Amino acid sequence: MPTIFDVAKFILEQLGQMSTMKLQKLCYYAQAWSLVWDDAPLFEEDFQAWANGPVCPQLFFRLQGRFSVAAQDVPGNSGVFSPAQRETISHVLNYYGEKDAQWLSQLTHLEDPWRQARQNLPAGAPSKAIVSKESMAMYYESL
């Protein structure tokens, strides 16, 4: 199974340099739509319901301290995807790829998976609550 680093590498190769926050959100949406369209996770790593939206800690800590990243900054292999997985990621990038990081973050704040994981935490409060793949699949399948 691919890792989040493989997905991040693919995204950066397709769209070029971007902020780490935008990369996190695009990886999140790639996972979400893979759960719906391919009926399987794209990668094993989980997202946590951080204050600025879903964040994968493994990706965060690998890129910590950088505002902007490029494909060479991320370990991973963008050649590991099946044709269906490539198509899913490409569709996600076609829809979400032109949006900025803040827009993507705000969108996640309106959606149930992140909100449910945070429960009643105040805005800006830290959280390590997992945004479950099950909640992602159920929510995005309903759209």
Side-chain angles (χ1 to χ4, degrees):
M1 174 179 285
T3 70
I4 193 164
F5 298 107
D6 301 326
V7 176
K9 174 80 93 179
F10 182 85
I11 289 170
L12 290 165
E13 287 174 353
Q14 298 302 306
L15 299 182
Q17 189 168 345
M18 68 182 64
S19 72
T20 55
M21 184 165 148
K22 180 173 180 173
L23 181 60
Q24 285 278 354
K25 303 313 174 258
L26 291 175
C27 288
Y28 172 79
Y29 283 115
Q31 178 77 301
W33 290 109
S34 177
L35 291 165
V36 174
W37 295 332
D38 304 329
D39 203 27
L42 191 54
F43 50 86
E44 227 174 273
E45 294 88 351
D46 286 317
F47 287 88
Q48 294 178 352
W50 289 21
N52 286 326
V55 171
C56 175
Q58 292 92 326
L59 185 60
F60 175 85
F61 290 116
R62 178 69 171 95
L63 301 175
Q64 190 171 14
R66 298 173 188 230
F67 173 77
S68 183
V69 290
Q72 66 266 21
D73 300 323
V74 178
N77 179 356
S78 61
V80 299
F81 302 107
S82 70
Q85 290 170 324
R86 288 178 97 69
E87 185 177 356
T88 294
I89 300 168
S90 294
H91 283 306
V92 167
L93 298 183
N94 285 338
Y95 184 79
Y96 297 100
E98 293 297 316
K99 312 295 189 209
D100 67 35
Q102 199 56 45
W103 189 93
L104 292 168
S105 178
Q106 289 172 352
L107 181 62
T108 64
H109 288 213
L110 299 173
E111 297 172 333
D112 288 350
W114 179 84
R115 293 166 51 114
Q116 289 170 353
R118 287 186 64 83
Q119 298 176 350
N120 294 321
L121 284 175
S127 172
K128 290 186 178 181
I130 299 294
V131 178
S132 76
K133 291 177 182 73
E134 294 77 19
S135 71
M136 292 166 70
M138 287 178 54
Y139 176 77
Y140 293 102
E141 191 170 56
S142 74
L143 298 180

